[in-house]
Amino acid sequence: MSSKVKNYVLDTNVLISNPKALFFFEDNHLYMPFKVLEELDRLKSGMTGRSANARATNRALDEIIRTAIPMEASREERTRIFREGVPLRTGGKLFFIGEQTTIPKEVPELIRPILEYLDPIVRVIRDRFGYVDHDLLQIVEKLGNEHPDKFTCLVTKDINLRIKAGYRGLNVADYEHDKAAFDIRSLFSLSSEFNVAPEVIAELHQQGRARIPAKMEAILQTNQYLTLRLEDQDDSEGTFVQYKDGQFRLIQRTKTLEEHISFRNPEQRALIEACLDSNITIVSALGQAGTGKTLIALASGIHQVENSQSRTNYDQIMVFRPLIELGNKTMGYLPGEVAEKISPHYGAVKHLVEFIKGQAAADTMDEEGIVKFVPPNFIRGDTLHNTFMIVDDAQNFEYGELKTIATRMGPGCKIVVTGDPFQCDLPYNNDERDNAISLYTYNMSRIPEGIEREKFCFVLLHEVERSLEAKIHAKYL
């Protein structure tokens, strides 16, 4: 046990976001108020991700207690373990804190019995009208006073509660473990253009490959696409390359997916190359609305399914989208079969298929099952084969849902995950690091160099190409 053990009080939303959070505080002391247990109990019923995480948290707590307390333990032994802290596998301890009285210490003894009689009723009323936050703050303050030698901190994803805690002078922190550890905004500021010496360009055009300059080794990612220009000649014609195995690989010509669909900027070109490269089977495309992420992914998939000369062997395209409506507002019950119920959620993608192939061909592809629009609700346990998978609008999936979809990949599959990390409609995501596509891209990019890392590529798209009007709205709103 560390000589500087810290005390952390956990809010319910931390456990709802990740039931494994109990095991990410090392050898420190965790405090779980009964109010949190009661909130978990209220949330556990239902089919939502939050309900599933509440149940998973309850199972984790049950496992912790069963591991720490033998079945044959006496009542006194159980009480002692709970009082001294239930041991965690991380070396820390878990404490449970019961109901907090609503009676101030300075109340005169004459009226204290009356207030004690009313206290349970007052607690029920406080719970009904959302005073749980106040109880959490009371607990943190009390723990800090009882353990002045220890750092005591409230951990919550609730921004307003963090403000209240800060106002009272309490230590408070967001739960950062489930957020991508990089600054997604700075990621979008990375350059995809570099100036190199003339001999690098010459070697590329002569041999198709060239060793990268030593100064660039630490800043490039496997399967990164770049535009190289001659040093001191920024206006020189760029050379488009892919970085892999410590070398630049020259890309001389990028395929036109359809007569009316071709790249409009180097970033779209990079995404097309990644989608068509049979050696890259996991692609993440991040960018604002209108940058062409979904269009390129869909057109690339259709091109490979239809093209018998393609080195890939995809039989179908499966598109997954979150069944969430704009602003998390719902129209309510939708009648009909499953295909009819999900149709409004996939309307934008269906329109893209019509744009790519035309109405008649799109209808034929739909009838033949070449392009399938799949609700993610029923995919668990399935294994896909020879499928070009597109996970669209991925920032609005929960991370566990995205993982479930991605792990359906069987032999001959490819997955392209697209999304805008700055446009998340989930109500409990605090910022752009706290959504599925940001975490997915971050975790995949951290895979150690080798055969597994060579399967992954991420592409950042900056330029809105939908229309000048869409670009204006994206830029200034």
Side-chain angles (χ1 to χ4, degrees):
M1 181 74 71
S2 171
S3 59
K4 293 186 178 180
V5 173
K6 299 174 182 177
N7 295 331
Y8 291 104
V9 179
L10 302 185
D11 194 1
T12 312
N13 49 47
V14 172
L15 301 169
I16 290 300
S17 70
N18 186 354
K20 296 180 181 178
L22 292 163
F23 307 108
F24 291 141
F25 287 86
E26 301 176 338
D27 59 351
N28 296 298
H29 290 173
L30 304 185
Y31 288 83
M32 184 171 294
F34 278 9
K35 294 292 184 186
V36 171
L37 290 177
E38 291 166 6
E39 284 193 302
L40 289 172
D41 197 48
R42 286 195 292 269
L43 289 168
K44 70 182 182 184
S45 300
M47 299 300 292
T48 66
R50 301 180 78 188
S51 298
N53 282 353
R55 293 192 292 270
T57 300
N58 289 339
R59 290 194 295 271
L61 290 171
D62 183 54
E63 180 185 352
I64 290 169
I65 293 170
R66 285 191 292 107
T67 302
I69 305 177
M71 286 288 293
E72 62 275 11
S74 64
R75 181 177 180 179
E76 291 76 13
E77 178 69 6
R78 291 173 181 274
T79 302
R80 182 189 64 78
I81 293 175
F82 272 99
R83 186 175 63 251
E84 295 178 358
V86 181
L88 298 168
R89 68 186 186 208
T90 57
K93 290 185 176 182
L94 176 63
F95 295 85
F96 294 90
I97 300 179
E99 296 285 354
Q100 300 298 299
T101 180
T102 63
I103 306 172
K105 293 180 179 179
E106 59 272 13
V107 168
E109 290 299 322
L110 184 63
I111 63 172
R112 181 172 289 275
I114 300 173
L115 295 180
E116 288 176 348
Y117 175 78
L118 295 173
D119 190 47
I121 302 173
V122 173
R123 286 205 299 268
V124 171
I125 295 173
R126 289 164 62 87
D127 290 350
R128 173 66 180 81
F129 290 98
Y131 281 87
V132 175
D133 287 0
H134 178 77
D135 290 343
L136 287 176
L137 296 175
Q138 239 185 348
I139 289 169
V140 176
E141 195 164 18
K142 182 180 177 182
L143 277 174
N145 294 333
E146 292 176 352
H147 305 279
D149 58 324
K150 292 181 181 177
F151 176 81
T152 300
C153 180
L154 170 64
V155 183
T156 178
K157 296 174 74 66
D158 186 334
I159 296 174
N160 290 333
L161 180 54
R162 294 205 298 267
I163 293 173
K164 292 177 186 177
Y167 178 78
R168 293 175 65 157
L170 304 175
N171 294 312
V172 63
D174 189 5
Y175 180 64
E176 298 281 347
H177 190 277
D178 284 350
K179 295 186 177 183
F182 59 74
D183 181 356
I184 196 78
R185 292 183 184 274
S186 67
L187 186 68
F188 271 84
S189 67
L190 294 177
S191 176
S192 58
E193 293 191 3
F194 292 89
N195 294 339
V196 294
E199 50 266 28
V200 175
I201 301 293
E203 186 179 352
L204 275 167
H205 287 286
Q206 290 170 7
Q207 302 181 19
R209 296 179 178 274
R211 294 291 300 175
I212 70 166
K215 64 180 180 180
M216 297 178 65
E217 287 182 356
I219 59 177
L220 297 181
Q221 293 251 1
T222 294
N223 291 326
Q224 185 173 349
Y225 293 90
L226 310 162
T227 300
L228 303 181
R229 301 186 188 279
L230 290 172
E231 288 179 339
D232 302 323
Q233 297 183 38
D234 291 342
D235 59 342
S236 66
E237 184 178 348
T239 301
F240 195 65
V241 299
Q242 178 194 34
Y243 168 70
K244 188 175 182 179
D245 297 329
Q247 294 181 317
F248 291 133
R249 181 179 69 87
L250 178 64
I251 299 176
Q252 294 182 323
R253 182 175 177 272
T254 297
K255 292 180 180 178
T256 299
L257 301 176
E258 296 287 339
E259 288 185 5
H260 60 296
I261 298 176
S262 61
F263 62 86
R264 294 184 177 180
N265 58 58
E267 295 158 354
Q268 289 188 347
R269 184 180 185 184
L271 182 55
I272 293 174
E273 287 290 338
C275 288
L276 297 181
D277 191 333
S278 59
N279 295 313
I280 299 174
T281 54
I282 305 171
V283 180
S284 178
L286 301 89
Q288 297 181 80
T291 50
K293 308 178 298 295
T294 309
L295 173 63
I296 290 173
L298 197 55
S300 299
I302 292 172
H303 174 83
Q304 292 172 90
V305 170
E306 291 185 331
N307 187 357
S308 60
Q309 297 179 346
S310 172
R311 292 200 300 170
T312 57
N313 188 31
Y314 304 125
D315 299 327
Q316 61 181 349
I317 300 166
M318 295 185 75
V319 183
F320 303 86
R321 296 196 93 207
L323 304 182
I324 184 171
E325 298 171 35
L326 182 64
N328 212 33
K329 296 180 175 67
T330 178
M331 293 188 299
Y333 172 77
L334 295 175
E337 302 295 327
V338 172
E340 294 173 293
K341 290 179 183 291
I342 69 170
S343 182
H345 298 279
Y346 286 85
V349 183
K350 291 181 178 180
H351 295 158
L352 284 179
V353 178
E354 294 168 5
F355 173 75
I356 294 167
K357 300 301 297 181
Q359 183 69 59
D363 291 341
T364 302
M365 296 178 79
D366 188 29
E367 292 170 4
E368 295 178 354
I370 296 175
V371 181
K372 296 180 178 178
F373 305 100
V374 185
N377 312 51
F378 312 112
I379 196 174
R380 191 180 295 277
D382 199 1
T383 301
L384 304 179
H385 296 82
N386 301 325
T387 301
F388 191 93
M389 303 166 60
I390 300 173
V391 184
D392 190 40
D393 212 22
Q395 77 278 3
N396 286 322
F397 277 113
E398 294 180 7
Y399 187 63
E401 293 173 334
L402 179 53
K403 180 179 178 181
T404 298
I405 296 170
T407 51
R408 300 311 96 199
M409 291 180 70
C413 285
K414 180 168 190 153
I415 188 169
V416 181
V417 181
T418 71
D420 179 359
F422 305 106
Q423 196 178 67
C424 183
D425 291 317
L426 293 178
Y428 42 87
N429 286 104
N430 290 338
D431 59 40
E432 62 274 2
R433 296 177 299 149
D434 199 16
N435 61 66
I437 193 166
S438 296
L439 289 167
Y440 180 85
T441 305
Y442 171 67
N443 289 331
M444 286 293 178
S445 66
R446 294 176 66 211
I447 297 174
E449 293 295 332
I451 190 170
E452 291 181 335
R453 180 60 182 83
E454 290 174 1
K455 294 293 183 182
F456 173 69
C457 170
F458 72 88
V459 179
L460 307 174
L461 296 102
H462 299 78
E463 293 297 322
V464 176
E465 300 287 1
R466 179 172 289 155
S467 68
L468 176 59
E469 290 76 14
K471 184 174 184 177
I472 292 170
H473 283 92
K475 183 177 181 180
Y476 293 105
L477 295 187

